[in-house]
Amino acid sequence: MDSLNQIEIQNIRHLCGHGTNFCDKIAYYKTLTNDTKVTDALDSLCTELTNLKTELSNML
């Protein structure tokens, strides 16, 4: 990862920020349904986004 330029590093930071925003929106969408399959899928999606954000942050 030593060969990343400033634009690539900035893109990674943007991905991390967008992941946080997506999880915030997911939390809102979960309030709109009582279907456990939907809420479980949204929870899984947010967990994966959080894991991706953590992995990307660790690369910097």
Side-chain angles (χ1 to χ4, degrees):
M1 297 310 292
D2 294 335
S3 64
L4 290 177
N5 63 39
Q6 290 295 335
I7 293 173
E8 292 165 332
I9 291 170
Q10 189 64 32
N11 287 339
I12 291 172
R13 289 184 181 140
H14 282 260
L15 286 172
C16 291
H18 292 306
T20 300
N21 291 339
F22 292 147
C23 283
D24 292 342
K25 289 180 182 183
I26 288 170
Y28 169 71
Y29 294 141
K30 282 176 36 181
T31 65
L32 302 177
T33 184
N34 293 327
D35 187 348
T36 57
K37 288 182 182 179
V38 172
T39 57
D40 289 346
L42 292 174
D43 281 336
S44 175
L45 181 60
C46 192
T47 300
E48 291 297 323
L49 283 169
T50 303
N51 291 341
L52 176 63
K53 184 176 88 169
T54 302
E55 288 182 33
L56 288 173
S57 296
N58 290 340
M59 289 187 334
L60 300 178

